[in-house]
Amino acid sequence: MTDHAARSASPPAPTLLSRLRRLGALRASGLIWVLLLMIIVAVIYKPTFINPSNLVSVARQTALFGIVAIGMTMVILTAGIDLSVGSIVAVAGVVCATMLDAGMPIWSVVIVGLLIGATLGAINGIVIVIGRVPPFIMTLGMMVIGRGLAMTISGGHPVHFREAAESFAWLGQGFLLGLPVPVWVFLLVAASAFFVLRYTPFGRNIYAVGSNPEAARLSGINVGATIFGVYLISGFLAGLTALVMISRLTVGEPVLATGLELEAIAMTVIGGTSLFGGEGGVIGTILGAAIVTVLANMLNLFGVSPFTQQIVKGFIIVAAVLFETYRRNRNSAK
Amino acid sequence: MESGRQAVQEGADTVVLSMGGISKRYPGVVALDDVALTLRRGEVHGLVSENGAGKSTLIKILAGAIHADSGEIVIAGRAVDHPTPAEMHDYGIAVIYQELMLAPHLTVAENLFLGRLPRGPLGIIDWRAAHRQAGELMDRLGFRVDPAARLDQLSVAQRQMVEIASALSRNARIVVLDEPSAVLGGSELERLFEIIRRLSAQGVSFIYISHRLSEVFAICDNVTVLRDGRRVGSRPIGEVDPESLISMMVGRTLADIYPARRRGIGAPVLSVRGLNRPRVLHGIDLDVRAGEILGICGLAGSGRTELLRALMGADRAAASTYTLRGRERRIATPAAAIRERMCLLPEDRKTQGCFLPQSVAFNMTIARLGKISRGGMLSHATERRIATRLVQRLKVRTPGPDALVHQLSGGNQQKCLIARSLNAECDILLIDEPTRGVDVGAKREIYELLAQLADEEHAAIVMVSSELPEILGLSDRILVMRDGRIAGRFERDEATEEKLMAAAIGAGRPAREEAVHAAL
């Protein structure tokens, strides 16, 4: 509650600074420095970091996990959570691998993969909206159900498929203009999400619902449809991730993408999106995804064991949330 | 009550609490300015003022929840410096808030001894002892409450008794009652008064906060009046009458703060017959016309807020007819209401109105994004232009349309909500407690805004308020609600505060008590 009496009537013209602030870019700018610092440290101590092959692998890894993190960001902006994305990837992955193995046409595999993701996401959304089941519980249930489905469909074994058509392999393994195709997919998804959040009424409503669902309802916003929408999108992007992953791995495993939901949540939260909803966005998540992947890569290069890596990652997630809480408290104390 | 017996030996004139020169500033607001208060042993001291005059700040300072910027507090002869809530507790001060602080799912005994339940051997809670001690305590105080009853089974009055008992069992010597009549019905209030009289005879001192003067005259020995954060004066109750108290509280005539209305009332735009919501609203008939401000008052729990929410389609309700601008309509959701250009500005802005982490522009445009869209795409330049215009028109004090709403004061947040309804082109405004949490200067601006909307834009405004001066100062017609029904209809010229209050309280007190139970 500050006294702005003196400066009321004519607001200043939008400056570059205020434009950036509205883009949410300034908020994310701290993350850019974190990322740059990490890269500098990596380059100094492990020059192999900037080997093209390593950079390509980091970029691809960022993309593979980043696609679901974009969906997760939209979910978390509504103050929800989606724990089921990893399992949805597995279900779509084994079904698509089975279809490929049966020699079904690529286009049908792609449609089915995306449909499975969208359908499971829609089920999440319907139960959360109509059944008023808390998102945490519903998607936790879907996480277990999905994993069970993937195991049942595959009989618990990896589904290898015959050498798929080149066009399908291209999705996970190919390059376009020097960048791995998954990176292009990720950038396309991120750009679309950025556009949706910033330039469409649906995106506006996501922020409104996440900030204050009751105020959103009284403002005439269809809160249920908005929430349903974000879970649908999150599931759809999990389906897309399944296609890219099995194309890359040439196998659909029922344990595919185990723990992906936690990676995606970590990327979102490190990217500055508030778990309380209404604050944050895609730019932060892109940086969050890069930070998480670069960190994992660095730890690998430094020869840190995967076990210890988990400990480090856990600390970083807690630190990001602590920082977020600190920032909120400081703001609300004003 | 050993300390009670000990205290009897002290003189009757002992000063138990003295506050002097208390000042508290918030950015942009002086909440308290050089306020003094003296409380003697066994005294019941009334504290009256309009809303927002500093009562709640003073109570918080007494509770140790916040600290005064300057001034001194002396309790039982000891100066108290920057106390914590726990220290104030130890000094014997208990504040009983309007919203009771007890745990509703626990029993009376559990609530009384929360955190200090009697233990048997092995550290296990001795329930029989707990219930016995609770029963003894309640008997001693003359409260008829079963120690084994769960709190949520009790009436509001009984809960208040438990709260008082709990305070006294912790050796409270000074009990602050914050507007008990806001939650208590007539006969319950009478019981509370008996208890206050008995306890004050035993040496407990009370600070009794209310803006209902009849209560102050009924129970208080002395009264202190606050206005705009200052102490206007303290008087023995025998030296004042209602008129002199009101002039001390108001300090200005209604014409000073309420804008003159230019009346040009048109055709009915909203007519409702037989609006029902089970157990909450019963057969409400209501008409509001273009250019009219319809004031609705009533006690807390009388169904005021519920009526607005039902009109808006926010809660499920059924009406035999619901006519908007001459056509029969069914408004089942707030979205439908907004399409019909009707808007609700809720009572609690922070939890129901504002999008606190979002910008002023976001908050102003959200209810009609079509206004800032070009071909289905939001235009940030248009948004900014529209928001800037609204900021200027409504004199919103903000660094700019990009500022976050949680940084604004209550009055400016309210203006953002009015701007939202303007941007949504709503000309039927349902507004609940328009100036709650708004400081005095901004109040006047909001009154002017509402008057201007009615007079110049021919908006139809339904305004719910618990502040009778506001209702009287602004409304063209007034409805009084009681127990979910319309209990009185008044034209502006015939209404007085006394008539409205009489209608709100009603003749049959038992009925009111039932309603309190039903409302729980």
Side-chain angles (χ1 to χ4, degrees):
Chain A
M1 291 213 288
T2 20
D3 186 19
H4 301 302
R7 297 165 282 167
S8 67
S10 60
T15 60
L16 182 64
L17 200 73
S18 71
R19 277 173 196 277
L20 279 174
R21 190 171 290 130
R22 268 177 292 137
L23 273 171
L26 269 196
R27 199 174 157 197
S29 71
L31 292 171
I32 292 178
W33 297 115
V34 172
L35 185 60
L36 279 180
L37 185 74
M38 285 169 62
I39 291 172
I40 290 168
V41 169
V43 170
I44 292 173
Y45 292 98
K46 293 284 167 186
T48 46
F49 179 82
I50 44 166
N51 283 358
S53 66
N54 188 56
L55 285 180
V56 161
S57 123
V58 168
R60 193 188 283 120
Q61 200 65 23
T62 304
L64 283 176
F65 288 4
I67 296 170
V68 284
I70 297 295
M72 188 68 74
T73 303
M74 297 174 94
V75 170
I76 290 181
L77 280 174
T78 66
I81 195 90
D82 189 350
L83 299 175
S84 65
V85 284
S87 296
I88 293 178
V89 169
V91 176
V94 294
V95 171
C96 291
T98 310
M99 289 175 73
L100 287 166
D101 194 40
M104 297 179 78
I106 303 296
W107 61 265
S108 68
V109 174
V110 170
I111 288 176
V112 168
L114 297 178
L115 259 183
I116 288 174
T119 307
L120 296 182
I123 293 171
N124 278 337
I126 286 171
V127 178
I128 289 166
V129 170
I130 296 178
R132 295 176 191 276
V133 175
F136 185 92
I137 300 298
M138 178 57 214
T139 59
L140 182 70
M142 182 61 83
M143 170 174 141
V144 179
I145 292 168
R147 198 57 72 181
L149 268 178
M151 292 288 180
T152 309
I153 293 166
S154 66
H157 304 295
V159 183
H160 295 273
F161 47 91
R162 287 174 296 163
E163 198 60 31
E166 211 170 283
S167 57
F168 187 73
W170 178 79
L171 183 61
Q173 302 170 15
F175 283 83
L176 183 69
L177 303 175
L179 281 178
V181 174
V183 174
W184 289 108
V185 175
F186 172 55
L187 291 178
L188 185 71
V189 166
S192 310
F194 179 83
F195 177 83
V196 166
L197 286 176
R198 196 166 151 71
Y199 292 106
T200 69
F202 173 61
R204 218 12 107 86
N205 293 348
I206 288 176
Y207 282 97
V209 169
S211 307
N212 189 338
E214 179 64 10
R217 196 167 91 91
L218 291 177
S219 300
I221 291 169
N222 190 335
V223 175
T226 308
I227 291 176
F228 172 79
V230 295
Y231 288 94
L232 177 78
I233 290 172
S234 179
F236 174 84
L237 292 178
L240 178 62
T241 300
L243 292 169
V244 179
M245 279 189 171
I246 64 166
S247 161
R248 166 97 190 122
L249 302 168
T250 67
V251 59
E253 287 180 286
V255 294
L256 186 67
T258 304
L260 177 66
E261 59 283 339
L262 297 182
E263 295 280 347
I265 293 168
M267 290 167 171
T268 307
V269 170
I270 289 172
T273 295
S274 165
L275 284 171
F276 301 100
E279 287 178 88
V282 168
I283 293 178
T285 301
I286 297 173
L287 291 167
I291 287 173
V292 169
T293 337
V294 168
L295 179 77
N297 185 258
M298 279 172 67
L299 294 173
N300 272 333
L301 292 177
F302 282 104
V304 177
S305 88
F307 303 148
T308 318
Q309 286 190 24
Q310 301 236 11
I311 300 175
V312 174
K313 205 181 281 172
F315 270 110
I316 288 183
I317 294 170
V318 174
V321 177
L322 268 179
F323 175 75
E324 163 71 16
T325 312
Y326 163 77
R327 197 188 60 81
R328 281 179 79 85
N329 287 343
R330 201 189 44 185
N331 279 350
S332 60
K334 268 195 270 192
Chain B
M1 300 278 306
E2 284 159 44
S3 63
R5 244 174 274 129
Q6 187 191 337
V8 173
Q9 287 146 16
E10 296 167 7
D13 277 348
T14 317
V15 173
V16 291
L17 168 72
S18 110
M19 302 173 87
I22 303 284
S23 296
K24 178 74 187 172
R25 280 172 195 80
Y26 291 108
V29 188
V30 179
L32 290 176
D33 185 7
D34 192 23
V35 169
L37 183 76
T38 306
L39 185 66
R40 288 172 203 285
R41 192 176 157 276
E43 176 186 348
V44 181
H45 195 113
L47 186 60
V48 299
S49 70
E50 289 185 72
N51 286 349
K55 279 180 304 198
S56 58
T57 311
L58 195 66
I59 300 168
K60 282 185 200 157
I61 290 174
L62 257 182
I66 56 174
H67 295 141
D69 298 332
S70 57
E72 60 165 9
I73 304 173
V74 178
I75 301 171
R78 269 184 298 178
V80 179
D81 188 36
H82 287 84
T84 63
E87 283 167 12
M88 279 308 207
H89 212 267
D90 294 343
Y91 283 120
I93 292 183
V95 178
I96 293 167
Y97 293 99
Q98 279 175 44
E99 297 91 16
L100 304 180
M101 309 299 275
L102 300 169
H105 301 300
L106 301 183
T107 65
V108 170
E110 285 172 300
N111 270 292
L112 282 175
F113 299 119
L114 210 58
R116 47 176 190 138
L117 282 160
R119 304 280 176 120
L122 303 173
I124 292 167
I125 292 169
D126 184 350
W127 287 112
R128 280 173 58 188
H131 285 131
R132 197 186 59 239
Q133 289 175 20
E136 285 167 8
L137 176 64
M138 295 311 246
D139 285 347
R140 206 158 55 223
L141 296 173
F143 297 172
R144 281 164 303 160
V145 179
D146 175 10
R150 261 175 54 154
L151 218 68
D152 51 7
Q153 298 164 341
L154 303 182
S155 72
V156 179
Q158 287 174 315
R159 291 192 215 184
Q160 198 130 28
M161 289 175 194
V162 175
E163 187 119 30
I164 293 173
S166 169
L168 294 174
S169 74
R170 290 163 206 249
N171 294 323
R173 308 295 305 143
I174 299 169
V175 177
V176 182
L177 291 164
D178 185 9
E179 300 217 20
S181 55
V183 289
L184 293 183
S187 62
E188 292 174 314
L189 200 58
E190 206 42 62
R191 258 146 80 196
L192 177 68
F193 283 178
E194 282 168 28
I195 290 159
I196 293 175
R197 287 189 195 105
R198 188 147 23 108
L199 292 173
S200 71
Q202 292 171 19
V204 179
S205 308
F206 287 87
I207 296 177
Y208 188 94
I209 294 164
S210 182
H211 53 241
R212 308 241 170 99
L213 299 184
S214 57
E215 295 167 18
V216 173
F217 283 100
I219 192 71
C220 296
D221 304 313
N222 295 294
V223 59
T224 291
V225 179
L226 295 182
R227 183 172 75 226
D228 301 344
R230 289 165 196 263
R231 187 181 76 145
V232 182
S234 296
R235 307 263 192 282
I237 202 73
E239 293 179 12
V240 285
D241 55 30
E243 286 70 34
S244 62
L245 263 192
I246 287 175
S247 69
M248 282 168 83
M249 282 165 68
V250 181
R252 51 181 121 73
T253 59
L254 291 183
D256 285 342
I257 181 160
Y258 297 101
R261 294 287 312 284
R262 194 181 61 212
R263 298 203 235 170
I265 290 170
V269 288
L270 171 63
S271 296
V272 177
R273 292 291 173 271
L275 182 69
N276 282 304
R277 176 170 163 77
R279 298 196 299 131
V280 182
L281 299 172
H282 310 286
I284 305 273
D285 296 342
L286 172 151
D287 292 282
V288 57
R289 294 165 291 179
E292 178 178 53
I293 297 180
L294 175 66
I296 297 183
C297 60
L299 300 179
S302 62
R304 306 170 303 191
T305 296
E306 291 77 3
L307 172 57
L308 289 196
R309 289 181 60 86
L311 290 174
M312 185 69 186
D315 293 333
R316 195 168 299 174
S320 51
T321 64
Y322 191 117
T323 316
L324 263 174
R325 298 185 179 85
R327 270 180 299 185
E328 181 73 22
R329 283 278 182 270
R330 216 181 90 76
I331 301 293
T333 62
I338 287 188
R339 277 196 296 278
E340 298 288 345
R341 293 186 285 133
M342 179 160 76
C343 214
L344 171 64
L345 282 66
E347 167 181 31
D348 188 336
R349 284 184 300 275
K350 282 187 167 42
T351 63
Q352 302 182 340
C354 292
F355 301 98
L356 291 174
Q358 310 300 343
S359 71
V360 168
F362 182 110
N363 273 275
M364 287 178 167
T365 56
I366 188 72
R368 185 139 305 179
L369 291 172
K371 292 275 286 280
I372 59 166
S373 303
R374 296 289 174 270
M377 241 182 82
L378 302 184
S379 157
H380 290 253
T382 312
E383 177 188 14
R384 201 184 154 77
R385 198 169 59 242
I386 287 178
T388 305
R389 220 163 34 220
L390 286 166
V391 163
Q392 283 166 353
R393 174 171 166 202
L394 304 191
K395 301 194 188 75
V396 184
R397 283 178 198 89
T398 165
D402 304 326
L404 301 185
V405 159
H406 76 77
Q407 298 170 328
L408 305 187
S409 67
N412 287 305
Q413 288 178 349
Q414 184 68 284
K415 288 182 188 172
C416 287
L417 296 190
I418 296 175
R420 180 190 300 169
S421 64
L422 292 179
N423 183 59
E425 294 177 346
C426 292
D427 58 6
I428 304 176
L429 258 56
L430 312 175
I431 183 162
D432 199 353
E433 301 287 359
T435 61
R436 174 166 294 178
V438 171
D439 58 65
V440 181
K443 264 187 187 180
R444 194 192 152 89
E445 292 181 2
I446 286 170
Y447 295 145
E448 280 169 358
L449 208 51
L450 293 178
Q452 186 202 341
L453 287 176
D455 294 343
E456 290 167 27
E457 321 253 326
H458 305 292
I461 298 175
V462 183
M463 177 182 78
V464 161
S465 177
S466 53
E467 293 187 43
L468 292 181
E470 192 167 279
I471 291 278
L472 289 167
L474 222 52
S475 309
D476 295 301
R477 282 185 306 129
I478 298 162
L479 301 184
V480 183
M481 289 192 73
R482 184 175 77 236
D483 304 342
R485 295 187 166 80
I486 304 287
R489 296 169 189 272
F490 298 90
E491 292 296 323
R492 163 155 145 153
D493 299 329
E494 56 169 339
T496 63
E497 216 166 308
E498 289 69 28
K499 283 185 189 171
L500 296 182
M501 194 43 91
I505 293 169
R509 276 173 178 174
R512 159 73 186 152
E513 201 166 21
E514 273 165 34
V516 170
H517 287 288
L520 290 175

